[in-house]
């Protein structure tokens, strides 16, 4: 009986997708169709099909508001406006030299008229060949301000799809992904939770975007948002038994509402990517295409960065960020010149010079130094307002001398600003901190938002914080500074508009030492859809107990770590391990030295979320190609077709592979390197060990 009910519901849903000619829209290739209608009660409803099959069943739209109650019905349709758009644009950095932005658009103009309200609201749809999106647009009108309690956008799935998801949380995305049927989300929610310095899971039915799904007939569906500006981040709450998701906005602290908007106003785009090929989900640029063009007059100072860092040794406990053992003090009055050093401070002059030399000798652009500034003794979990000043170095860190030394070696230092969640403090000191960076030649900053947000009651993903993150990027641009924000809201393509936003964390990265190997086969389908991630790959010594108190074994292989420089795109790539570990494997380290961080072309050769990914990329302005493959806990052999190479040209390929004995859990450093002559007709069979992978560099033969 239950099976019959769902089949009947799907059939009704497909029929309901048939609307009048004026209120439907098809993608340029005709594969995706979106229909809009008002019910007899004035409820806005949309649905969508892909190649004739319903992918989003009838789903309603609207808001709950403080001033006017529910704006989910009672609308009248005033007009429908259709238009087409097609352009080619060039990103400042990216996976491609150029990106095509081709869509068909439909703007449905609606009116809500009642005794207490007279509101105009448009719903704007755009349909691309690889997905569709919609947003709410409030034009200028008599109502000047609207307090939104919550947004009521629905995404009704047609069946019990397989999904890859993380729990809904107002403060963090640092979770491993759970693979389950939609119906299993509530039961598996608690098991998916992990500890974090700040975490606020809020509903056992809630998940975060980007949400990746696969139907039983292998249609891939992905729900995300684009152009998140002056608005809280959206979560999705699953409705058991109906396969329907309803949007849930991050609340504005304890206010009882989610957002206050001022007319005119456009919400972020609600995006549904869809294809019958998993590789299309990886390759789509729909999120960037839904963002505005570059807002900066000059982008010549923005550039990709390959860097190292005094970082992993702190993460693993070999050294510390702090200088002394003091705590519970006032930063404004504490005298570090009289403090007794504990002897474990990583950011000291001698150690930093050691890193500078190794990074410079091996062609890196920059060196990140964490723990350089005062305050680290008294920061984590203290919820202090004045926790850092972002300009005062520790006694054993000579700011000018180290910058001069780095510049003499041909590299720059990368700044680190950890805010400890104290937003008023950072906003007060930000311009002074950026000015210090200008004075000493820094052009990139890694910012951090570890811990609960201050003022108390605010969340990492609320409207106020979303505005703060973008303000920091804009103010950084005024100083010609690039930003890599950690613990910030997940990216939604804003790097197109502000390309100095060169990286984000906003997911579980390498600092979680023993994550499941399959995690890296899911992130490109989910978190990376909104923008690049500073995942910090390149770990060569997996047995952390050999050099630190942390006895964790990182579940990866060296060859798999090399592959991440290709499979996980970012213009900001870190060689995250320590110089002494790379020195033992300089033959494998050669790939990290060679692989670019900016690309002219990218091809996703084969993939399945949670299983494996194989990608190929061509270096910016060159004919050199790089291929990477990663797998989950399962060993597999893949056939790599070199058909992406230029026909008639001979190439030399260097393969970095797992050996048959390699295993992410027991034999992480078993790798082999060999070369082959290849052409566009070559098909290479490559083995990936459990939790491993491979990397290939391909250059034209002389």
């Amino acid at each position: 009986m239950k099976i019959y009910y769902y089949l009947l519901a799907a059939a009704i849903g497909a029929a309901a997708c048939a609307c009048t000619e004026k209120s439907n829209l098809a993608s340029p290739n005709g594969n995706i169709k979106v229909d809009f209608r008002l019910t007899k009660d004035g409820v806005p409803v949309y649905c969508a099909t892909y190649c004739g099959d319903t992918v989003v069943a009838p789903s309603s739209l609207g808001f709950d508001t403080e001033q006017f109650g529910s704006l989910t019905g009672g609308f009248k349709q005033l007009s429908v406006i259709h238009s087409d758009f097609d352009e080619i644009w060039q990103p400042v950095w990216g996976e491609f030299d150029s990106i095509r932005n081709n869509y068909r658009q439909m703007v449905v103009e609606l009116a809500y008229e009642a005794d207490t309200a007279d509101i105009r609201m448009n719903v704007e749809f755009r349909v691309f060949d690889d997905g569709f999106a919609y947003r709410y647009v409030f034009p200028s009108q008599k109502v000047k301000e609207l307090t939104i309690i919550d947004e009521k956008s629905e995404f009704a799935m047609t069946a019990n799809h397989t999904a890859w998801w993380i729990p809904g949380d107002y403060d963090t995305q640092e979770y491993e992904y759970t693979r389950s049927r939609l119906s299993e989300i509530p039961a598996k929610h608690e098991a998916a939770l992990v500890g974090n310095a700040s975490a606020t899971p809020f509903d056992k039915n809630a998940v975060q975007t980007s949400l990746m799904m696969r139907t039983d007939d292998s249609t891939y569906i992905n729900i995300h948002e684009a152009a998140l500006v002056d608005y809280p981040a959206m979560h999705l709450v699953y409705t058991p038994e109906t396969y329907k998701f309803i949007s849930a906005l991050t609340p504005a602290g304890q206010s009882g509402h989610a957002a206050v908007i001022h007319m005119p106003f456009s919400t972020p785009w609600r995006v549904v990517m869809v294809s019958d090929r998993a590789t299309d989900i990886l390759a789509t640029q729909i999120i960037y295409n839904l963002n505005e063009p570059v807002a900066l007059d000059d982008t010549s100072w923005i550039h990709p960065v390959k860097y190292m860092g005094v970082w992993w040794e702190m993460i693993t406990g070999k050294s510390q960020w702090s200088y002394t053992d003091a705590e519970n003090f006032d930063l404004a009055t504490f005298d570090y010149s009289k403090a007794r050093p504990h002897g474990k401070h990583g950011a000291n002059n001698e150690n930093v010079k050691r890193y500078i030399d190794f990074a410079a000798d091996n062609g890196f652009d920059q060196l990140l130094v964490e723990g350089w500034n005062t305050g680290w003794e008294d920061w984590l979990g203290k919820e202090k307002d004045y926790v850092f000043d972002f300009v005062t170095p520790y006694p054993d860190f000579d700011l000018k001398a180290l910058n001069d030394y780095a510049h003499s070696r041909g590299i720059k230092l990368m700044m680190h600003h950890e805010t400890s969640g104290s937003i008023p403090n950072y906003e007060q000191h930000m311009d002074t901190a950026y000015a210090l960076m200008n004075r000493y030649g820094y052009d990139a900053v890694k910012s951090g938002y570890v811990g609960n947000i201050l003022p108390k009651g605010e969340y990492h993903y609320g409207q106020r914080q979303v505005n703060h993150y973008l303000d920091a990027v804009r103010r950084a641009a005024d100083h010609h500074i690039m930003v890599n924000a950690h613990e910030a809201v997940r990216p939604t393509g804003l790097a197109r508009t502000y390309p100095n936003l060169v990286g984000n964390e906003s997911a579980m990265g390498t600092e979680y030492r023993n994550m499941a190997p399959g995690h890296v086969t899911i992130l490109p389908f989910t978190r990376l859809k909104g923008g690049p991630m500073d995942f910090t790959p390149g770990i060569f010594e997996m047995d952390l107990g050999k050099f630190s108190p942390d006895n964790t074994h990182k579940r990866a292989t060296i060859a798999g770590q090399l592959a991440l420089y290709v499979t996980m795109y970012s213009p900001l790539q870190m060689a995250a391990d320590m110089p002494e570990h790379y020195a033992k494997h300089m033959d494998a380290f050669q790939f990290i030295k060679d692989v670019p961080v900016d690309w002219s072309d990218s091809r996703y050769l084969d993939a399945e979320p949670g299983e494996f990914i194989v990608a190929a990329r061509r270096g910016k302005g060159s004919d050199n190609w790089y291929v990477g493959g990663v797998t989950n806990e399962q060993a597999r052999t893949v056939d790599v077709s070199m058909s992406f190479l230029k026909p008639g040209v001979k190439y030399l390929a260097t393969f970095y592979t797992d050996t048959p004995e390699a295993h992410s859990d027991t034999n992480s450093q078993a790798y082999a390197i060999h070369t082959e002559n290849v052409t566009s007709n070559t098909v290479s069979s490559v083995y990936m060990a459990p939790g491993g992978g491979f990397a290939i560099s391909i250059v034209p033969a002389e």
Side-chain angles (χ1 to χ4, degrees), residues 343-588:
K344 298 179 181 178
H345 183 223
N348 64 75
N349 293 326
E350 182 180 356
N351 196 36
V352 172
K353 281 188 175 182
R354 180 174 71 93
Y355 275 85
I356 290 172
D357 287 337
F358 187 87
D361 289 344
N362 289 282
F364 284 80
D365 303 309
Q366 298 195 12
L367 175 72
L368 167 72
V369 183
E370 296 199 5
W372 69 276
N373 57 315
T374 57
W376 285 93
E377 295 80 7
D378 204 35
W379 74 288
L380 183 60
K382 299 297 181 67
E383 297 189 7
K384 293 174 58 176
D385 178 29
Y386 183 45
V387 59
F388 296 111
D389 70 5
F390 313 101
V391 296
T392 305
Y394 277 124
D396 61 347
F397 185 89
D398 190 325
L399 183 60
K400 182 180 186 306
L402 287 170
N403 272 275
D404 289 346
Y405 185 70
H407 295 166
S408 74
R409 295 301 321 275
I411 70 170
K412 295 181 178 181
L413 295 188
M414 182 182 294
M415 180 57 72
H416 183 231
H417 290 166
E418 175 54 62
T419 69
S420 191
S422 181
I423 305 309
N425 182 58
Y426 191 40
E427 290 176 343
Q428 177 184 348
H429 290 89
M430 190 183 296
D431 286 324
T432 301
Y434 286 160
L436 178 82
M437 291 177 61
N438 291 154
R439 188 180 317 137
Y440 288 107
Y442 290 88
D443 67 1
V445 60
K446 173 184 174 181
S447 57
Y449 296 89
V450 174
N452 294 331
I453 295 296
L454 297 178
K456 289 187 177 182
E458 294 290 338
Y459 299 113
H460 281 76
Y461 304 155
Q463 183 182 26
R464 185 186 188 281
Q465 273 303 105
V466 167
N467 289 342
H468 163 81
Y469 301 134
L470 184 54
D471 180 61
V473 171
R474 288 168 170 159
R475 289 164 70 175
D478 292 339
H479 291 267
H480 285 194
I481 290 171
M482 300 178 291
V483 176
N484 167 28
H486 282 228
E487 295 87 29
V489 71
R490 55 184 173 266
T492 58
L494 284 172
R496 178 188 179 185
T497 312
Y498 299 96
N500 65 312
L501 180 59
V502 292
N504 281 102
E505 183 191 37
S506 306
M508 181 178 283
T510 299
E511 64 181 332
Y512 289 84
R513 277 83 71 197
N514 60 349
M515 70 184 73
H519 187 63
V520 298
T521 71
I522 302 171
L523 284 173
F525 285 100
T526 52
R527 158 61 187 81
L528 271 73
K529 295 319 305 167
M533 179 181 177
D534 186 26
F535 184 77
T536 60
I539 304 302
F540 276 19
E541 179 53 74
M542 312 303 170
D543 291 322
L544 308 189
K546 290 183 178 180
F547 60 90
S548 81
D550 187 341
N551 288 315
T552 302
H553 176 86
K554 180 169 175 57
R555 303 178 64 192
T557 69
I558 286 180
Q561 288 288 292
L562 298 180
L564 297 176
Y565 292 91
V566 181
T567 62
M568 295 187 66
Y569 168 69
S570 177
L572 182 83
Q573 289 282 25
M574 185 184 197
D577 212 332
M578 292 176 272
E580 56 266 34
H581 297 154
Y582 290 134
K584 297 176 182 178
H585 306 281
M586 291 302 291
D587 54 351

Side-chain angles (χ1 to χ4, degrees), residues 222-370:
N222 189 298
I223 302 175
H224 196 24
E225 62 180 326
L228 176 60
V229 177
D230 194 17
Y231 203 72
M234 177 183 72
H235 299 75
L236 301 172
V237 176
Y238 175 70
T239 306
E241 303 298 328
T242 66
Y243 309 141
K244 180 184 292 184
F245 289 97
I246 303 175
S247 62
L249 302 179
T250 304
Q254 309 302 316
S255 65
H257 66 258
V260 176
I261 63 174
H262 300 88
M263 316 306 185
F265 187 84
S266 298
T267 70
W269 293 94
R270 281 61 187 101
V271 189
V272 179
M273 295 159 264
V274 58
S275 179
D276 55 7
R277 298 189 302 179
T279 51
D280 288 345
I281 303 298
L282 293 173
T284 179
Q285 301 296 298
I286 188 173
I287 299 295
Y288 283 123
N289 280 331
L290 288 163
N291 278 266
E292 294 298 315
V294 175
L296 309 179
D297 293 332
D298 175 23
T299 61
S300 61
W301 51 274
I302 301 171
H303 57 89
V305 176
K306 190 188 296 185
Y307 74 106
M308 295 186 68
V310 185
W311 172 78
W312 186 240
E313 62 179 73
M314 286 95 142
I315 292 292
T316 58
K318 179 185 177 183
S319 65
Q320 296 182 17
W321 288 270
S322 61
Y323 174 78
T324 182
D325 289 326
E327 61 178 336
N328 298 320
F329 59 82
D330 182 357
L331 183 65
T333 59
F334 187 78
D335 188 351
Y336 276 97
S337 68
K338 298 179 181 178
R340 180 179 180 181
H342 55 45
K344 298 179 181 178
H345 183 223
N348 64 75
N349 293 326
E350 182 180 356
N351 196 36
V352 172
K353 281 188 175 182
R354 180 174 71 93
Y355 275 85
I356 290 172
D357 287 337
F358 187 87
D361 289 344
N362 289 282
F364 284 80
D365 303 309
Q366 298 195 12
L367 175 72
L368 167 72
V369 183
E370 296 199 5

Side-chain angles (χ1 to χ4, degrees), residues 86-265:
D86 195 359
E87 69 169 354
I88 302 292
W89 60 278
Q90 288 73 40
V92 175
W93 45 258
E95 298 181 80
F96 305 93
D97 271 337
S98 60
I99 295 173
R100 187 181 185 187
N101 185 14
N102 182 26
Y103 60 82
R104 291 176 177 168
Q105 178 168 289
M106 175 175 68
V107 179
V108 183
E109 297 183 332
L110 302 174
Y112 178 88
E113 296 176 349
D115 293 340
T116 58
D118 182 359
I119 297 176
R120 297 294 182 267
M121 182 184 80
N122 304 335
V123 184
E124 184 175 329
F125 292 91
R126 291 182 185 176
V127 185
F128 304 75
D129 287 344
D130 46 10
F132 70 92
Y134 64 87
R135 66 178 176 179
Y136 304 89
V137 179
F138 294 90
S140 296
Q141 54 192 289
K142 291 182 180 179
V143 175
K144 302 301 181 184
E145 181 180 286
L146 193 62
T147 301
I148 295 174
I149 303 300
D150 213 346
E151 181 184 321
K152 296 297 182 181
S153 300
E154 295 183 349
F155 305 85
M157 299 296 99
T158 59
N160 197 15
H161 303 330
T162 298
W164 291 263
W165 55 273
I166 57 176
D169 193 305
Y170 297 147
D171 280 306
T172 185
Q173 280 202 297
E174 294 179 10
Y175 292 106
E176 288 201 60
Y177 284 82
T178 298
R179 178 188 185 273
S180 78
R181 292 286 185 169
L182 296 180
S183 61
E184 297 175 308
I185 289 173
K188 292 181 177 291
H189 192 273
E190 184 174 354
L193 300 175
V194 296
N196 193 281
S198 180
T200 311
F202 63 95
D203 190 311
K204 69 178 182 180
N205 298 301
V207 299
Q208 299 192 51
T209 67
S210 165
L211 172 65
M212 184 69 200
M213 292 172 284
R214 184 184 64 214
T215 70
D216 285 347
D217 61 357
S218 294
T219 296
Y220 299 87
I221 303 169
N222 189 298
I223 302 175
H224 196 24
E225 62 180 326
L228 176 60
V229 177
D230 194 17
Y231 203 72
M234 177 183 72
H235 299 75
L236 301 172
V237 176
Y238 175 70
T239 306
E241 303 298 328
T242 66
Y243 309 141
K244 180 184 292 184
F245 289 97
I246 303 175
S247 62
L249 302 179
T250 304
Q254 309 302 316
S255 65
H257 66 258
V260 176
I261 63 174
H262 300 88
M263 316 306 185
F265 187 84

